[in-house]
Amino acid sequence: MSRPKPAEALSRGEVASLARIMAEAYWRALKIEAKGQSSGLRHARRDKHQLLDAASDSVQWHDLSYAEQNEPGSALEVYRYIQDVARDHLENGDRAAEVVAGELMRPWIRASYLALRDSFIADWKPTGSIELRLIEMMAQLYTAYEHWMSLSVQRVSFDHEQEQYRIKQNGKWRVMQVEPNTDVTQAAEMADRYNRLFLRTLRQLRDLRRYNLPVMINNPQQVNIAAEGGQQVNVQKKR
C-alpha cells in the first residue's frame, strides 16, 4: 500500500464538497438504520486503516463519514488516497480495459486488450491525455469489432454446416426457401457499426494531430500574418 498524500493537498472547495456529501450520506445511513434495515452504519468500516486496505471502489461515503468521527482528518486522507488510485487506474489502462474486459471475462480478454492498446500507443506515441484517451477508445472499438466479427463468422459457419448436413441427408441439393437469419444479420451489422466508429475515432485523432502542429519559422526575413478580419499584415525583420 502506497503512502497517502496529506489532506492539505485538497482545495477548500473540495473539502467543503466532501463534507456536504459525507454529511448527506451519514444522514441517509442513520435513517436506514432507524428503520431496522440490514444496511446502514452497522456495516460501515469505521477505521482509517481498514479503508486504506480495502478496494478503493468499494468505499462508501458513510464509511468516510464514520471514520472522520473516529479520527478527524482521516476521511480526507483516505479520499486523497482514492484519488491517487483512480489516477493510476486511468493512466495504466485499467479503467478503459474494464469497459470491454471486466472481471467476469477471462484474463486472456483483458491481456489482449492491453496488448492492443500498447501497440496503438507505440505507433502513435500520444503527447497528451486527449490523444491517449482517443487511442484507448480505438482499442475498445477494435476489440468490440473483433467480438462481433467473430460471432458473424461463427454464425455463418453454423448455417453452412446445417446446409451441408441437409444435403447429406437428402442425397442431393434441393431448392429451399431462404429466410433471413436475424442472428447473422445482427452480428454483421454490429461488426460494421464498430468498424465505422473505429475509423471515425481514427480520423479524429488524425485531425487532432493535424490542427495542433506547432508552426516554427527559422530566421524569417518576411512573414505575412492574417489578422482577424482576414487582412494580411506584412512583418519584416528589422535590420
Side-chain angles (χ1 to χ4, degrees):
M1 181 179 65
S2 61
R3 182 184 181 88
K5 295 182 180 180
E8 288 75 16
L10 296 173
S11 66
R12 293 181 59 183
E14 287 179 301
V15 173
S17 178
L18 289 176
R20 177 182 56 80
I21 296 174
M22 287 191 299
E24 292 177 354
Y26 185 76
W27 176 245
R28 287 195 301 269
L30 281 178
K31 290 194 294 185
I32 292 175
E33 197 75 17
K35 294 179 181 179
Q37 298 180 9
S38 58
S39 58
L41 295 176
R42 186 182 308 170
H43 301 285
R45 283 169 282 206
R46 313 183 180 198
D47 183 76
K48 176 184 71 174
H49 299 288
Q50 290 179 346
L51 295 177
L52 291 174
D53 291 336
S56 297
D57 59 350
S58 68
V59 177
Q60 303 293 329
W61 289 111
H62 61 264
D63 294 332
L64 296 178
S65 180
Y66 215 111
E68 181 68 18
Q69 294 187 44
N70 290 338
E71 183 180 345
S74 61
L76 300 182
E77 186 177 349
V78 173
Y79 182 74
R80 184 61 180 172
Y81 173 71
I82 294 175
Q83 281 186 319
D84 294 337
V85 174
R87 292 189 184 96
D88 294 339
H89 192 63
L90 173 66
E91 294 304 323
N92 59 25
D94 287 338
R95 175 173 173 170
E98 289 178 355
V99 177
V100 292
E103 296 179 357
L104 299 179
M105 295 186 179
R106 292 176 291 120
W108 173 256
I109 304 298
R110 188 184 188 89
S112 298
Y113 165 79
L114 292 175
L116 181 64
R117 172 184 180 268
D118 291 341
S119 68
F120 286 172
I121 291 176
D123 282 347
W124 282 88
K125 296 178 177 56
T127 58
S129 179
I130 294 297
E131 289 189 0
L132 183 56
R133 301 291 86 79
L134 286 175
I135 288 175
E136 288 180 336
M137 189 183 302
M138 287 168 52
Q140 290 171 332
L141 293 171
Y142 193 83
T143 300
Y145 160 77
E146 287 187 321
H147 168 75
W148 285 105
M149 192 65 189
S150 176
L151 283 179
S152 177
V153 174
Q154 177 181 331
R155 291 171 181 177
V156 170
S157 177
F158 179 75
D159 288 348
H160 173 72
E161 292 294 332
Q162 281 189 322
E163 185 177 349
Q164 291 296 319
Y165 176 77
R166 293 193 190 102
I167 294 175
K168 290 180 181 179
Q169 290 292 104
N170 298 326
K172 61 179 181 179
W173 183 87
R174 63 178 181 177
V175 178
M176 293 178 293
Q177 183 178 1
V178 179
E179 298 179 356
N181 190 322
T182 56
D183 292 337
V184 173
T185 303
Q186 180 205 32
E189 289 177 350
M190 292 299 293
D192 179 66
R193 177 179 301 177
Y194 281 110
N195 177 54
R196 286 185 280 110
L197 288 172
F198 172 82
L199 295 177
R200 186 176 70 184
T201 307
L202 178 60
R203 287 193 297 268
Q204 290 172 341
L205 179 59
R206 180 202 62 190
D207 293 342
L208 180 65
R209 282 279 179 90
R210 177 184 298 173
Y211 298 128
N212 282 346
L213 288 176
V215 178
M216 301 184 65
I217 304 173
N218 297 321
N219 300 321
Q221 299 297 328
Q222 178 176 327
V223 180
N224 293 334
I225 302 175
E228 293 182 357
Q231 182 180 1
Q232 290 190 355
V233 180
N234 184 272
V235 180
Q236 293 184 353
K237 180 179 178 181
K238 294 183 179 180
R239 297 186 181 277

